[in-house]
Amino acid sequence: MTPRAPTRRWCALPAMLLAVMFAWSALAAAQDPPGDAPSAAAAPAASPVVADPVAGPVAAPPAAPGPAVRGPQRAGLQSYSVSIQVTFSGSPEWTPEVRRGLLRDLREQIGSAAGPLWEPLAIKEAARGLVLSPIPEEGRALEAWRTALESRPEDKVFLAALHIAGGECTLRAGEWDRSSATLGSWSTRAVTDSRLAAAALTTMLAEAFRPLAVIRKVEGAEAELEVQGGELIPSDSRFLAVPETTVFIPFQRMLNREREVVRRLVVPWTYLSVESRDRSLVMSRIASAFGAPLVPGRRRTELRAILARPSLAGTRLRIVPYGNPGNPVVGARVDVLGGNPERRDASASASSPSAPAPAPVVVTTDRLGRIDLARDPDQTLKWVQVHSGSILLARVPVVPGIVPELLLEVPDDSARLTVEGELSILEGELIAAVGQREVFMARAKQLARLDKWDEIESLTNRVMDLPTIADFDERVEAVRVRGIQSARDRQDRLAEARINKLVTTFRNLVRDHLDPEKIAGFKDEMAELKRAK
Amino acid sequence: MTSAPRRTCFGSDRRREAFHGGAFLLVLLLGMGVGRTSFAQPAPAAQAPPAAQAPAADPAAAAPQPAPVESIESLPQLTTIPLPTAEQFLTEPPHDWIVLTGDYVLVVEPVVPRPDTLAKIDRAYNDLLRLKPTTPPEEQEDLQARIDEQKFLAVILPGESELPEYRIPIKMVKQVLHHEDLVLRRIDQLIEANDIDLAMELQILMERRYGHWIGVGDRHNKLVLADARLRLQAMQFEAAFMLAEELFRRDSQLPGLSELIESAGGPWAERAWGDGNIPNVQHVYRRIRAMRPESAAASGIADRLAGEARRILAEADQAAAKGDVQTAAIRAEAAAAVWPELPELKARHRAHLLRYPRLHVGTVRTTDAGGRTPRLVLSRADLREQSLRPAPLFHPERVQGGLVSYRTRYFNDWEPEDLGRRMLLTLRTHAQPWEMQGPLSAESCGEALLARLDSAVPSFDERLATYIDSVRVQTPYSLTIEFRRVPARIEPVLARIAVGEPATPSAEDDGSTARQPASHDDGAGGFTVRETTDASVSYRRWRPEPGGQPRYRTAEVIEHLYDSPDRVYRALLAGEVSLVPDLPAWFARELQAIPETTREFHVRPLALPLTHFLQFNPRSIPLRNRELRRALASAIPREAILSDVLLRGPQRQLGRVSRTPFPEPLSIARGDFPPLEYDVPTAIAMSLAAAHQLGNGTELPVLRLVAPGEQVERAACEALVRAWKRVGIQVEIVSGDGPPAPTEWDILYRAAVLTEPTIDLWPLVTASPVARIGDLDHLPAWLRHDLIELDRITDSSRANEFARGVLRKILADCAVIPLWETDSFLVVRKTVRDLPAVPMHVYDSLDRWTIEPFYRTELP
């Protein structure tokens, strides 16, 4: 009867099995090498395969490769040390022969496809009895294995799970990146014949592979990257280090004096959109919610980037006010754009005014402050603009499909909105007063031709009785004081400034339309007409 | 058809001949000097113009001077002169016939004195003679002149003015046939010729001009009698009977009348019987009996009706013996309708109707089958039908302290825990036999809630889904609701959740047998539609009361459709119905002033008046313009329309101009809301500003106003359109009756009872029945923010205060235009008991009502 509680029945067992397996295999793993050398821990082994998949890890824990030191090398020339852990479910179809055959096929296919890019390459059977469950649950399980994975020496650890039931073989695969200490997206595929599993898994691993890059230079809104292994061309284009159009996620690695990674910091709401590439060198444009998100050249700080591989159907963006996540921004207008709105504006005005940019998709946040952003294969990077009335609260780039949910904090605009509402009422009264004044004056001028001076006097009195600038000023000031106080209570100086601007604009409006000289002129005109009669 | 004009021409010629003959005869008579005395007295006319000066009726005849006639023989004789035709009587001036000695006829202008001219002249002559001995000598001459005057009959020839006048010696006058007698003669001839219409035309002429002439009244009776007999021959019994009633009023003992009554009333009743029109048979019976109580026809009708009533009553008894209490009640009512004077009827009718009480309701509008499809606005008939459905989890009970308080049919307890974040609901395990709904299990209750939390289903309630995080069934009769966000009041939120909607009964299921809810009908109940016809809709209790009860409650409701409130009221007085809901305020006021009404009926006001207001279509581009909305608001003469259309009088006891869309008994309506003034200058200014802003110069687009189907509201809409037209805003009315619901509209006239400000405010500005975030897109950001904030407030009093502030802004923004509120009434016969003292709606607690059997003994 609980609608929100997800089912957890099938996720615990495989998660535990896999966790135990990785924890156990990680006991002998080497420590994270100095960040200066991304693959330093992975020795350039003579053979890409370091474990016999047939013998498998069942009999004995897999021997983690020992720490090795590679000399300083350009990132573009550095390969990735890769470990692929394959888990078979407990289905009787997975006989030892079948498992051995599949691992052999996988080794052959990946070895020939990735070539020198993935060296050394270790493929081994990790454990048995994995019962597959939905991907989000796998993701949660993988998060639990993070400690074990962080101790792995390889640049990349691919986790693969195979299950067979009813003649259909289901494959799942995901990637762990040591440099960024992040898990990639988890993908699933099904094949009807287990003999096709190796080929399908090869494709899946190629799709899960997230190349790394070193941010060499940052100039304004552009950044130059050098992709690791970018010079090592694989024979299979699926394993290309950098696909044609893609986005990198930048992150920083903080090092200690020993050049060990102390912590990693993902630069929030910032992406590097690839614009051109020359082998391992990539020119990218910085898409960020901030003015200067990447500052290179600091000591003991490395700027890195990892390829964004969106694989989920989309990302749910939850928008909340700063410091008040329990009170989400509900009913806010959100524009979702395909490109940077600032660049769009510039290009639309300069280059091709006749071809306007596509209109943004306008959505509204729901009662929990959420919007759903769908993954778009053609447009990986999206820009999201959050509005509150005429005010832009936030403009951030998002790559939908990488994570299931993102939290976006925006300024609390309620104080300004309250003032705007009050001023809107006053504006209505102002328009009514101006309209009445014009009607009375026009009517009086008509009556002047008919010599009905009593009625004219009555109309003149009604004009004089209409609200004046002072009346409006008094009420506007009351609104302003309340709004400013509310903003100050929240220590929101931006809201304070916006309220002052709103009030000033409205006061100018009042002065423009309730000019007392106009009334004086009207009275003089009437007096003149009366004298002339 | 061609003979009439020919006769007329002929008649004219003959009359013209008679006229000329008379003129020449007069000349001759004057020359002879015949009279009572030996010498003829010179007539004044004779002194002036001779015969040659006598004017001719026909100019053609007047042109050549006719030669004097030598003898009286030139005049037509009485036996040969034709009687003027009916057309001549109707179109030409009246003329009398002077019959002279030798039966010669002289046609003259009407003579005086009349009637009985000769006798009156003779009496005057004798009276003067008797005066002669006592008259002084000096007056003798004058008296003699007057006596001589009486020896002549003064006449004016047709076509002449009063002068010259001719005198005919009385001795020569045999008879005077007056014009009136001639007309009566013609009427007699027409009656004999069965030309009733023409005869009646002449008769009407006679009655209008000469109503007191001897024989006119008799001729009327004769004419009507002849007409009735003719209609009898033509089998027009009703018409013949009506003529008989007319004759009865004129002369109840008229010879032949009794036979006419028998021969018209009997066959008429027979024909109505053949048509199955029992009320008509009763009607004939009553009318016969009113004239001839001892009539054989009346006795025959009474016997026949009594026999039929006994037969139907026997059927009722048989059905009751089989346990079919519904059929028994229906047949007992039918028997009472056939012959209420049956002696044994009362006791048996009472027994059957006490077991299966049926409530007859009179209304000008029922829910038609098409009305059960989605509509833009529910009519009052729709709302009545909704109130017959299974009760929601909570429903309004009364108004207390400016707020609506709720009660539930399902829960024993609903206790908040953990500062209101969790609520344990304990359901009732049993229901009283009279309750229209059975107990509800926790599982069904939970399912009803979850069905509103799933965004994939049409019943998804976005607001509720925000409040409720989870629903957990604890035991078969208890469940816990975990709130993600605590609502200010949970009752109004849950009051929108209906449960136990029963499956539609199959066609062959006539409901004759008691039915027990199946397991899947957990909590099912209410009243479901049993039958729909053009004239009525009947609803039957879905969960019948079990047998053996000391008292049974309302089992069935039959809504009868009438074409006007007046007709409904007549049906109420006639005993056809026992309850009349949704009366117009002016009609309720008139009813309260009638003593018979208050003696026999309760006129009960509902707890909350009906508020009338205007909503705007969020998709209407012109009406997003606030100046246009303000122009619409300022152009409405609320006081005038309220008085002229809704109340039909200046009294304000039953209606008033409202400042908010919420009824005045609610605390939110008592805020300091500025009145909406009728201000034509502002309206004109605003409409001009709106036209300018909309880019139409001074022209505004034609707006479409959706008017409800109710007559009063529709009339109010027409008045609004006229008012807007005066300030240059063109609005056309579209019917909101649907289906299909109108899609293109701008303004919506609503008459509704809004009970919960914190819940109803949102749909008010979005013109949507539910609160959806997506519907707020068109609103200004500040208003959107306020409405959302209102939903977030968890404290009831603060929520109400905030709602008042939001409402103030909404009204200032003219997002809704309040118009007026009218008190709602229901008139119910005092035989219907156990109603709430102040009902929240028409069928409030219907399953508790008891109905004392009643039928009207007066025949129609």
Side-chain angles (χ1 to χ4, degrees):
Chain A
M1 297 303 291
T2 306
R4 296 291 186 264
T7 306
R8 298 168 185 270
R9 187 179 301 168
W10 300 109
C11 65
L13 181 60
M16 285 176 61
L17 285 172
L18 212 53
V20 167
M21 184 275 293
F22 278 106
W24 166 68
S25 62
L27 285 175
Q31 295 299 313
D32 193 24
D36 206 10
S39 298
S47 168
V49 181
V50 295
D52 182 4
V54 178
V58 180
V69 177
R70 290 191 294 188
Q73 196 177 15
R74 273 187 59 207
L77 295 171
Q78 289 176 8
S79 64
Y80 296 88
S81 60
V82 175
S83 170
I84 301 174
Q85 304 283 326
V86 183
T87 305
F88 294 95
S89 68
S91 305
E93 286 88 345
W94 297 125
T95 62
E97 291 74 22
V98 172
R99 298 202 306 272
R100 275 197 299 271
L102 193 144
L103 292 176
R104 186 175 55 245
D105 293 346
L106 188 63
R107 187 169 56 249
E108 287 175 1
Q109 290 184 22
I110 292 178
S112 61
L117 188 64
W118 286 15
E119 282 185 0
L121 172 65
I123 302 176
K124 51 189 175 183
E125 186 176 351
R128 287 176 180 275
L130 178 64
V131 179
L132 298 176
S133 53
I135 284 180
E137 300 307 318
E138 296 285 356
R140 291 189 189 185
L142 289 170
E143 287 295 332
W145 305 331
R146 177 178 289 275
T147 310
L149 288 169
E150 280 176 350
S151 62
R152 297 284 301 187
E154 295 91 352
D155 292 337
K156 301 285 184 184
V157 177
F158 290 94
L159 306 173
L162 292 87
H163 175 64
I164 193 163
E168 187 178 80
C169 184
T170 308
L171 317 172
R172 300 195 193 284
E175 181 230 49
W176 160 262
D177 175 68
R178 185 178 54 83
S179 178
S180 63
T182 58
L183 283 159
S185 300
W186 196 246
S187 61
T188 304
R189 188 168 295 189
V191 292
T192 53
D193 189 337
S194 62
R195 288 171 295 184
L196 302 173
L201 203 52
T202 303
T203 305
M204 291 172 71
L205 295 180
E207 289 171 355
F209 172 50
R210 296 179 296 163
L212 289 162
V214 177
I215 301 175
R216 295 289 181 202
K217 194 164 61 178
V218 176
E219 283 184 356
E222 293 191 338
E224 183 184 304
L225 312 179
E226 184 177 4
V227 180
Q228 181 181 342
E231 304 290 341
L232 307 173
I233 308 301
S235 61
D236 189 336
S237 63
R238 291 177 298 173
F239 285 80
L240 270 175
V242 183
E244 285 302 321
T245 58
T246 190
V247 171
F248 278 89
I249 303 170
F251 61 95
Q252 294 177 345
R253 299 189 345 151
M254 310 298 180
L255 309 177
N256 59 15
R257 289 177 186 276
E258 286 72 36
R259 307 295 292 174
E260 292 170 338
V261 178
V262 180
R263 62 190 175 101
R264 299 168 183 83
L265 183 67
V266 175
V267 184
W269 306 110
T270 302
Y271 299 93
L272 303 173
S273 178
V274 174
E275 297 210 318
S276 65
R277 63 168 297 202
D278 180 12
R279 296 179 70 89
S280 63
L281 291 180
V282 170
M283 291 305 296
S284 67
R285 177 162 288 276
I286 301 171
S288 177
F290 307 103
L294 303 175
V295 183
R298 286 183 182 169
R299 290 178 61 208
R300 299 208 296 274
T301 299
E302 295 177 343
L303 283 178
R304 295 281 188 270
I306 188 169
L307 190 74
R309 283 277 194 193
S311 63
L312 304 177
T315 294
R316 174 163 285 180
L317 188 64
R318 199 158 72 86
I319 304 169
V320 299
Y322 284 131
N324 193 6
N327 220 12
V329 178
V330 180
R333 181 168 70 87
V334 179
D335 296 343
V336 181
L337 303 102
N340 189 336
E342 291 174 347
R343 291 187 71 197
R344 282 155 56 97
D345 295 344
S347 62
S349 58
S351 61
S352 56
S354 59
V361 177
V362 180
V363 291
T364 306
T365 55
D366 66 8
R367 284 176 175 266
L368 298 176
R370 303 173 307 191
I371 61 163
D372 288 326
L373 301 170
R375 184 179 56 150
D376 184 356
D378 298 329
Q379 192 74 48
T380 311
L381 182 69
K382 302 278 187 190
W383 280 87
V384 170
Q385 295 186 144
V386 184
H387 298 270
S388 172
S390 56
I391 299 294
L392 180 66
L393 292 181
R395 177 190 289 148
V396 295
V398 178
V399 176
I402 296 178
V403 292
E405 184 168 309
L406 280 172
L407 185 72
L408 173 60
E409 289 188 311
V410 297
D412 189 349
D413 199 37
S414 55
R416 189 195 65 86
L417 284 174
T418 305
V419 172
E420 189 179 317
E422 300 280 352
L423 291 183
S424 175
I425 294 171
L426 290 178
E427 187 183 328
E429 293 179 20
L430 172 65
I431 293 170
V434 172
Q436 282 177 321
R437 188 188 66 191
E438 296 301 321
V439 170
F440 292 150
M441 288 180 175
R443 178 76 182 138
K445 286 172 186 171
Q446 282 179 347
L447 292 172
R449 286 197 288 272
L450 304 172
D451 280 349
K452 296 186 175 178
W453 297 105
D454 289 344
E455 291 183 40
I456 291 170
E457 190 173 347
S458 166
L459 286 171
T460 308
N461 290 337
R462 292 182 73 177
V463 169
M464 300 303 293
D465 289 343
L466 290 171
T468 61
I469 293 176
D471 296 332
F472 277 103
D473 270 352
E474 187 181 344
R475 296 172 67 185
V476 168
E477 183 60 17
V479 171
R480 191 190 74 85
V481 167
R482 281 199 300 271
I484 293 290
Q485 188 59 47
S486 173
R488 282 181 183 166
D489 289 347
R490 295 173 193 176
Q491 298 179 339
D492 189 346
R493 300 185 69 81
L494 181 62
E496 206 174 319
R498 283 174 171 167
I499 288 168
N500 278 325
K501 188 179 173 189
L502 269 178
V503 169
T504 306
T505 307
F506 183 75
R507 280 187 168 145
N508 291 337
L509 194 71
V510 173
R511 275 160 180 71
D512 287 347
H513 287 91
L514 293 183
D515 187 358
E517 287 185 8
K518 186 164 187 178
I519 296 174
F522 164 73
K523 288 177 72 177
D524 292 346
E525 186 182 352
M526 289 297 108
E528 187 68 32
L529 284 171
K530 193 172 182 181
R531 275 196 300 275
K533 294 281 179 180
Chain B
M1 291 298 290
T2 54
S3 60
R6 210 179 295 133
R7 273 204 311 272
T8 304
C9 294
F10 177 73
S12 297
D13 293 344
R14 297 295 298 267
R15 288 186 67 192
R16 196 178 299 125
E17 286 172 11
F19 161 69
H20 290 304
F24 297 135
L25 174 66
L26 280 175
V27 175
L28 182 66
L29 292 175
L30 290 172
M32 289 167 63
V34 291
R36 282 178 198 272
T37 57
S38 54
F39 296 98
Q41 297 298 319
Q47 292 169 359
Q53 290 178 339
D58 190 343
Q65 295 298 326
V69 178
E70 293 81 8
S71 70
I72 198 170
E73 283 79 13
S74 60
L75 290 174
Q77 283 213 302
L78 183 62
T79 52
T80 57
I81 186 168
L83 190 66
T85 63
E87 187 180 352
Q88 285 174 319
F89 282 127
L90 290 168
T91 57
E92 294 180 1
H95 294 126
D96 290 346
W97 286 1
I98 310 294
V99 182
L100 303 174
T101 50
D103 284 348
Y104 293 101
V105 176
L106 182 64
V107 178
V108 297
E109 294 288 326
V111 297
V112 288
R114 56 194 299 128
D116 209 6
T117 305
L118 294 179
K120 284 179 179 170
I121 291 175
D122 194 45
R123 264 201 306 279
Y125 178 76
N126 291 330
D127 291 345
L128 289 172
L129 279 181
R130 278 195 291 275
L131 291 176
K132 206 167 184 181
T134 57
T135 305
E138 63 273 16
E139 295 178 6
Q140 281 289 335
E141 189 179 349
D142 185 45
L143 178 62
Q144 187 58 49
R146 288 169 59 197
I147 291 170
D148 292 343
E149 192 82 7
Q150 299 304 318
K151 292 174 184 171
F152 295 92
L153 175 64
V155 296
I156 300 171
L157 292 180
E160 291 188 349
S161 60
E162 287 193 15
L163 291 175
E165 186 180 81
Y166 301 96
R167 297 195 302 173
I168 302 173
I170 290 293
K171 290 176 91 173
M172 288 190 69
V173 178
K174 185 178 176 185
Q175 184 185 4
V176 177
L177 284 175
H178 296 96
H179 168 74
E180 291 83 351
D181 294 323
L182 297 176
V183 175
L184 292 176
R185 278 190 189 188
R186 173 53 72 189
I187 289 173
D188 289 340
Q189 288 181 8
L190 288 171
I191 291 172
E192 284 169 14
N194 289 339
D195 194 349
I196 301 298
D197 292 343
L198 198 51
M200 183 54 76
E201 204 171 342
L202 282 179
Q203 177 67 25
I204 291 168
L205 177 78
M206 284 296 293
E207 289 176 4
R208 193 171 65 240
R209 290 187 184 169
Y210 324 107
H212 301 294
W213 196 265
I214 298 165
V216 172
D218 293 342
R219 208 64 92 250
H220 188 109
N221 292 348
K222 185 180 174 184
L223 182 57
V224 173
L225 196 59
D227 189 11
R229 284 174 178 152
L230 279 177
R231 289 181 188 273
L232 274 181
Q233 288 172 11
M235 312 283 277
Q236 297 172 357
F237 303 118
E238 184 176 357
F241 194 85
M242 289 172 67
L243 293 172
E245 286 179 322
E246 184 187 340
L247 288 173
F248 181 80
R249 283 192 295 273
R250 295 177 67 86
D251 182 2
S252 62
Q253 300 306 318
L254 186 72
L257 179 59
S258 296
E259 292 76 17
L260 179 63
I261 292 170
E262 294 285 339
S263 51
W268 183 21
E270 189 68 35
R271 179 180 287 175
W273 182 271
D275 294 342
N277 192 344
I278 297 295
N280 211 5
V281 178
Q282 295 172 339
H283 183 65
V284 177
Y285 167 79
R286 184 181 59 76
R287 286 167 69 171
I288 296 174
R289 201 174 56 176
M291 291 188 286
R292 294 286 186 267
E294 73 288 352
S295 162
S299 302
I301 294 170
D303 292 344
R304 175 177 268 186
L305 288 173
E308 179 65 10
R310 282 195 185 92
R311 186 186 65 75
I312 297 171
L313 208 51
E315 287 178 4
D317 294 340
Q318 287 173 5
K322 291 178 187 170
D324 185 355
V325 292
Q326 184 192 17
T327 304
I330 292 171
R331 299 311 288 162
E333 283 187 337
V338 169
W339 194 235
E341 296 180 358
L342 195 67
E344 65 269 33
L345 176 66
K346 187 170 183 182
R348 290 157 73 184
H349 174 272
R350 180 179 171 77
H352 294 313
L353 267 299
L354 279 177
R355 175 62 187 86
Y356 191 84
R358 303 179 85 217
L359 176 67
H360 293 272
V361 180
T363 178
V364 291
R365 197 163 182 210
T366 60
T367 299
D368 55 341
R372 296 188 182 100
T373 57
R375 287 185 183 218
L376 189 57
V377 178
L378 294 179
S379 69
R380 289 207 271 285
D382 298 331
L383 293 173
R384 282 200 308 275
E385 185 174 293
Q386 262 191 5
S387 69
L388 288 171
R389 289 179 185 158
L393 291 179
F394 285 89
H395 60 274
E397 184 184 25
R398 62 176 180 274
V399 180
Q400 198 171 29
L403 291 176
V404 173
S405 62
Y406 293 80
R407 72 185 163 96
T408 175
R409 290 174 176 269
Y410 306 101
F411 303 117
N412 276 332
D413 293 305
W414 57 100
E415 288 300 322
E417 298 174 354
D418 189 17
L419 297 174
R421 294 180 192 281
R422 188 169 54 242
M423 179 169 279
L424 176 65
L425 300 162
T426 309
L427 290 118
R428 294 167 58 193
T429 55
H430 296 90
Q432 294 295 324
W434 52 263
E435 285 187 280
M436 66 179 183
Q437 282 168 267
L440 183 68
S441 71
E443 186 183 355
S444 296
C445 183
E447 282 175 3
L449 288 168
L450 289 180
R452 281 152 184 83
L453 306 182
D454 183 0
S455 61
V457 299
S459 59
F460 174 61
D461 185 339
E462 196 181 278
R463 177 186 268 151
L464 190 71
T466 313
Y467 288 137
I468 295 181
D469 184 52
S470 66
V471 179
R472 201 166 62 251
V473 174
Q474 308 276 42
T475 71
Y477 286 99
S478 68
L479 74 161
T480 302
I481 299 175
E482 298 274 354
F483 291 107
R484 179 184 293 119
R485 183 182 291 280
V486 181
R489 291 176 78 197
I490 187 62
E491 292 91 346
V493 175
L494 297 181
R496 268 68 178 174
I497 300 175
V499 291
E501 192 75 46
T504 308
S506 59
E508 57 270 12
D509 178 13
D510 59 356
S512 55
T513 54
R515 179 175 39 196
Q516 294 304 319
S519 59
H520 66 276
D521 291 327
D522 186 15
F527 286 72
T528 55
V529 177
R530 185 178 71 88
E531 188 181 14
T532 303
T533 67
D534 290 341
S536 68
V537 181
S538 65
Y539 303 89
R540 184 183 56 195
R541 187 189 275 259
W542 190 83
R543 180 174 176 263
E545 286 187 78
Q549 302 300 312
R551 189 88 203 218
Y552 291 89
R553 317 286 172 146
T554 312
E556 189 172 347
V557 177
I558 307 101
E559 285 195 353
H560 300 274
L561 182 63
Y562 298 96
D563 52 11
S564 68
D566 295 296
R567 182 67 191 86
V568 174
Y569 180 62
R570 287 206 299 275
L572 186 70
L573 294 182
E576 293 174 26
V577 299
S578 295
L579 185 145
V580 179
D582 302 326
L583 281 176
W586 55 269
F587 203 89
R589 186 184 62 233
E590 289 178 7
L591 286 187
Q592 285 172 322
I594 301 173
E596 290 79 10
T597 308
T598 50
R599 192 165 54 239
E600 206 171 341
F601 306 102
H602 291 297
V603 181
R604 293 207 171 171
L606 299 185
L608 291 173
L610 199 64
T611 49
H612 304 242
F613 51 91
L614 298 176
Q615 283 183 269
F616 300 108
N617 188 349
R619 283 175 288 281
S620 169
I621 302 297
L623 284 168
R624 289 182 185 171
N625 184 289
R626 183 174 50 187
E627 282 65 46
L628 180 53
R629 298 197 301 269
R630 199 178 178 91
L632 290 170
S634 301
I636 301 172
R638 288 173 180 73
E639 294 279 356
I641 295 177
L642 177 67
S643 299
D644 299 346
V645 179
L646 284 99
L647 301 182
R648 296 194 185 178
Q651 297 93 336
R652 288 296 151 82
Q653 296 94 334
L654 305 181
R656 56 214 71 87
V657 170
S658 58
R659 296 183 178 187
T660 78
F662 292 92
E664 267 191 13
L666 299 184
S667 58
I668 188 170
R670 299 177 200 153
D672 182 23
F673 298 103
L676 286 163
E677 301 289 352
Y678 174 48
D679 189 348
V680 173
T682 299
I684 293 172
M686 291 294 103
S687 65
L688 290 173
H692 179 70
Q693 288 174 13
L694 291 170
N696 292 351
T698 56
E699 287 293 317
L700 285 167
V702 178
L703 305 175
R704 292 160 67 88
L705 167 68
V706 179
E710 280 77 12
Q711 290 176 2
V712 175
E713 280 84 343
R714 197 169 183 85
C717 283
E718 287 164 3
L720 287 175
V721 169
R722 285 194 295 273
W724 287 329
K725 192 176 181 182
R726 282 196 285 272
V727 297
I729 302 173
Q730 300 293 330
V731 181
E732 62 182 28
I733 292 178
V734 293
S735 174
D737 254 359
T743 52
E744 299 294 324
W745 60 276
D746 300 291
I747 311 167
L748 175 64
Y749 184 107
R750 280 192 68 191
V753 179
L754 303 180
T755 55
E756 204 56 46
T758 55
I759 303 284
D760 292 329
L761 214 47
W762 184 317
L764 201 61
V765 291
T766 59
S768 166
V770 291
R772 283 189 300 248
I773 289 286
D775 294 336
L776 300 180
D777 286 348
H778 70 287
L779 296 179
W782 56 267
L783 182 53
R784 210 159 53 207
H785 168 264
D786 280 358
L787 289 171
I788 291 165
E789 201 60 35
L790 178 61
D791 267 4
R792 287 174 167 171
I793 298 174
T794 56
D795 177 65
S796 174
S797 58
R798 196 171 149 254
N800 282 320
E801 194 55 41
F802 192 83
R804 189 177 288 118
V806 178
L807 180 60
R808 191 173 64 86
K809 289 181 185 176
I810 287 173
L811 295 175
D813 196 52
C814 289
V816 176
I817 300 178
L819 297 173
W820 37 72
E821 66 178 30
T822 53
D823 295 338
S824 298
F825 293 89
L826 58 90
V827 182
V828 59
R829 190 182 302 284
K830 289 182 177 175
T831 53
V832 181
R833 294 168 188 158
D834 298 326
L835 280 76
V838 186
M840 291 296 292
H841 55 85
V842 173
Y843 295 131
D844 192 359
S845 307
L846 176 66
D847 54 353
R848 296 179 67 111
W849 296 9
T850 55
I851 303 169
E852 190 68 23
F854 169 84
Y855 59 89
R856 182 68 73 184
T857 52
E858 292 87 7
L859 295 175

